[in-house]
Amino acid sequence: MNQNVNWYLEKKLERVKQSLEKNNYEVFIAEDIENVKEILKNIIEEKSTVSFGGSMTLIDGGIIEYLRKCNITLLDRYKEGLTPDDIAELYRKSFFADYYITSSNAITEEGYLVNLDGNGNRVAAMIYGPKKVIIIAGINKIVRDLNEAYTRVRNYASPINAKRLSRKTPCVEKGICLDCNSPERICNHYVVTYRQNVKGRGIIILVKQELGF
């Protein structure tokens, strides 16, 4: 990476880190996804129960495969052979997990988390339930403010995820959000988290590379 670009990213990440810390989060800055795994190794206790939310950051970054090799009880929603009822039960069990790992659709420079969910299980667990929530976010998830976050989530992340999930929605046809009433709509729960109220519960790993959508 160009040293000037690297300098710019470091300054940006440090500003966001300070904002998040003011909002009661513990924050780490990782050089890359391999560094993220090293951080997770130091955070997650052996034999603990771990769950995770739907996230291309976790899938593409190899985090789920990493977790499968750890000495933990993993509530693995992608395990082969699971029925829809099995998956729904894992969603409920996730609220009692020791650690819940996911990403965020956007993080503002003010230190706010912005997420848009279909079923709501991911944002619900981020808000309440698991003892600790670990959020892994690439540099591409950082935005200036809530207005920019809204635009990113609705007109970038949501259409791409709808396409990924093969949903028959207007955004898949047009490539932008049309605020539809489609039965296959995935953007049903829009949540802004201004602050983590329980100190020590929210852990955020900011990564100096692009991850997920």
Side-chain angles (χ1 to χ4, degrees):
M1 182 184 291
N2 180 280
Q3 64 178 359
N4 299 308
V5 174
N6 189 61
W7 165 82
Y8 174 80
L9 292 180
E10 286 180 349
K11 292 296 184 183
K12 185 175 186 177
L13 287 171
E14 189 56 40
R15 289 198 307 273
V16 177
K17 180 177 184 290
Q18 291 175 4
S19 295
L20 288 166
E21 288 174 340
K22 289 179 181 177
N23 293 337
N24 234 10
Y25 293 96
E26 182 178 3
V27 185
F28 297 86
I29 295 178
E31 287 294 321
D32 53 33
I33 199 66
E34 292 306 312
N35 189 195
V36 170
K37 295 172 187 176
E38 294 173 8
I39 294 170
L40 290 177
K41 183 179 180 180
N42 291 325
I43 293 175
I44 299 173
E45 296 181 6
E46 290 190 353
K47 299 182 180 180
S48 58
T49 300
V50 180
S51 185
F52 55 86
S55 166
M56 290 308 297
T57 293
L58 304 187
I59 295 172
D60 289 347
I63 299 298
I64 295 172
E65 288 302 321
Y66 165 78
L67 292 172
R68 286 170 175 165
K69 297 174 183 177
C70 293
N71 183 22
I72 58 174
T73 298
L74 183 63
L75 304 179
D76 191 347
R77 58 188 282 173
Y78 297 129
K79 185 178 179 180
E80 290 186 13
L82 294 180
T83 67
D85 286 343
D86 292 333
I87 295 172
E89 181 63 19
L90 284 177
Y91 288 171
R92 287 188 285 271
K93 287 182 177 179
S94 294
F95 286 96
F96 300 95
D98 297 306
Y99 301 91
Y100 187 84
I101 306 174
T102 188
S103 188
S104 183
N105 295 132
I107 298 178
T108 74
E109 291 194 22
E110 302 158 295
Y112 305 151
L113 309 185
V114 181
N115 287 282
L116 192 57
D117 228 23
N119 294 323
N121 59 289
R122 178 176 65 101
V123 292
M126 291 172 75
I127 294 169
Y128 185 82
K131 291 180 181 177
K132 291 183 181 291
V133 176
I134 303 172
I135 296 158
I136 302 167
I139 190 73
N140 51 309
K141 301 294 187 74
I142 296 175
V143 296
R144 183 180 307 146
D145 53 29
L146 289 176
N147 287 333
E148 191 173 316
Y150 184 84
T151 299
R152 182 187 194 282
V153 172
R154 294 299 295 267
N155 292 313
Y156 180 74
S158 291
I160 292 176
N161 276 305
K163 174 67 174 175
R164 175 177 66 87
L165 296 169
S166 301
R167 296 300 180 95
K168 296 176 181 177
T169 56
C171 67
V172 172
E173 291 184 25
K174 302 294 184 180
I176 60 171
C177 177
L178 297 172
D179 198 17
C180 71
N181 195 31
S182 168
E184 296 197 23
R185 172 176 170 145
I186 66 167
C187 48
N188 297 317
H189 306 278
Y190 185 77
V191 176
V192 178
T193 304
Y194 294 95
R195 186 176 183 273
Q196 172 55 243
N197 61 311
V198 180
K199 190 171 181 61
R201 180 176 185 267
I203 301 168
I204 298 180
I205 305 175
L206 301 173
V207 191
K208 204 189 299 182
Q209 69 180 82
E210 293 194 2
L211 296 169
F213 306 139

